[in-house]
């Protein structure tokens, strides 16, 4: 006689999805530890390109894969709901740019008086660059892993990337009002070199490709392969973090004092936590469902620091503290996202038992 309490065995893929979902924070921290002790393979990944003269690098291909996997499992009902509530996107754009911009502007007035201009110069420029960036491509992977509203995540990313060539210079000018003339000049150099077309293509085309596959395959086939797509998405996110941390961690550990690292880390995590607060407030005001709230958390708290790091490395490579704060923001926003994902995993059912 069968045990009445027995449960049907999950497939190996479903068990793997559950394991990754419930332990993603620890897997992420393991990637950072590996990058600190063995950065060579990560640096090699960052250096890969289609050919010696190609701008198409391995990190860009990984980002494209991340977006493709996310858009391939979009529920079209969520897209329709999103189009019927454009206010969410409008307020989202305000939260993504204006809120962190005001925060950095306030720091620009306060910190130099407390710590001195010499100490805070690179920090404030780095924070300004992070705050002026669009929503992170990788926020889609986090949202997908936490069963958020993927359509909303993609909408925030695509719109902020498209508007980035207009919004980013304006935000840098706004924050420059509280910065020194030298810092403002550094921000202007960033704006001069900024070009969003390449990144727009790398966001829109993978998303459209995934959406096309979604439409052609139909909901039943998409559901059948959703577990595999989630594993690919999670693996891509971990590999991207390892590659970026391999560049970041050796420099962070070698170049600056512990006090400066702690201060920079505190400012970077505060910038990320502002996104959590903004998302919670907006979800309360607009009475959003759980999936939308989850997506707003990741969309508001995670910035496209990869874009900022590339631009700062090209334009402000002589300012190591600018690079440092962007590196710390990159790592800490993923740690914060991993912590939030871990919290959600403890409050919800396993992935394979949730719908869709």
């Amino acid at each position: 006689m069968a045990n009445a309490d027995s449960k049907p065995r999950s497939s190996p893929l479903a068990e793997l999805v559950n394991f990754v979902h419930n332990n993603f924070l620890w897997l992420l921290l393991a990637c950072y530890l590996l990058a600190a002790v063995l950065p060579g393979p990560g640096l090699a990944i960052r250096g890969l390109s289609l050919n010696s003269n190609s701008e198409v690098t391995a990190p860009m291909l990984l980002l494209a894969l991340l977006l493709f996997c996310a858009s391939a499992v979009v529920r079209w009902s969520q897209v329709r709901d999103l189009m019927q509530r454009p206010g969410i996107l409008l307020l989202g754009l305000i939260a993504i740019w204006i809120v962190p911009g005001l925060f950095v502007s306030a720091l620009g007035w306060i910190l130099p008086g407390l710590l001195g201009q010499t100490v805070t110069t690179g920090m404030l420029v780095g924070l300004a660059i992070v705050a002026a960036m669009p929503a992170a491509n990788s926020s889609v992977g986090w949202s997908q892993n936490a069963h958020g509203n993927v359509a909303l995540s993609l909408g925030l990313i695509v719109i902020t990337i498209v508007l980035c060539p207009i919004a980013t210079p304006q935000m840098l000018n706004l924050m420059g009002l509280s910065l020194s003339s030298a810092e403002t000049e550094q921000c202007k150099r960033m704006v001069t070199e900024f070009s969003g077309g390449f990144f727009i293509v790398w966001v829109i085309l993978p998303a459209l490709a995934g959406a096309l596959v979604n439409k052609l395959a139909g909901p039943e086939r998409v559901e059948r392969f959703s577990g595999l797509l989630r594993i690919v998405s999670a693996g891509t996110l971990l590999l991207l973090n390892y590659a970026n941390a391999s560049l970041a961690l050796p420099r962070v550990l070698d170049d600056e004092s512990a006090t400066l690292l702690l201060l920079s880390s505190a400012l970077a995590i505060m910038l990320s936590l502002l996104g959590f607060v903004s998302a919670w407030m907006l979800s309360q005001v607009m009475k959003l469902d759980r999936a939308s709230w989850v997506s707003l958390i990741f969309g508001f708290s995670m910035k496209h620091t990869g874009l900022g790091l590339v631009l700062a490395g090209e334009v402000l490579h002589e300012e190591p503290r600018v690079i440092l704060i962007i590196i710390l923001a990159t790592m800490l926003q993923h740690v914060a996202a991993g912590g939030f994902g871990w919290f959600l995993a403890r409050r919800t059912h396993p992935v394979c038992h949730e719908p869709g």
Side-chain angles (χ1 to χ4, degrees), residues 2-11 15 349-350 352-353:
N3 189 345
D5 295 330
S6 63
K7 298 180 180 179
R9 288 179 57 85
S10 299
S11 68
E15 292 178 355
H349 296 294
C352 66
H353 295 158

Side-chain angles (χ1 to χ4, degrees), residues 5-58:
D5 295 330
S6 63
K7 298 180 180 179
R9 288 179 57 85
S10 299
S11 68
L13 178 60
E15 292 178 355
L16 180 60
V17 171
N18 284 334
F19 174 81
V20 172
H21 177 73
N22 294 326
N23 297 279
F24 201 86
L25 175 60
W26 309 115
L27 293 172
L28 178 66
L29 294 177
C31 285
Y32 287 148
L33 178 61
L34 182 63
V37 299
L38 189 64
L43 294 175
I45 292 172
R46 289 184 58 85
L48 292 175
S49 60
L50 293 183
N51 56 63
S52 58
N53 298 320
S54 177
E55 294 182 346
V56 181
T57 62

Side-chain angles (χ1 to χ4, degrees), residues 67 82-83 85-97 133-137 139-140 143 149-164 203 207 275 279 282 288 291-304:
L67 280 170
L82 180 61
M83 298 307 295
R85 302 187 70 181
I88 298 177
L89 284 178
L90 178 60
L91 293 176
L93 295 179
I94 294 174
I96 286 172
W97 274 311
M133 289 297 106
N137 292 19
S139 64
V140 175
S143 180
N149 186 331
V150 178
L152 178 56
S153 296
L154 284 170
L156 288 173
I157 290 171
V158 172
I159 291 177
T160 54
I161 288 287
V162 170
L163 295 178
C164 192
V203 169
L282 181 57
L288 302 179
S292 297
W293 170 64
V294 167
S295 291
L296 290 183
I297 288 283
F298 293 119
F300 290 2
S301 64
M302 304 189 72
K303 290 287 192 170
H304 200 322

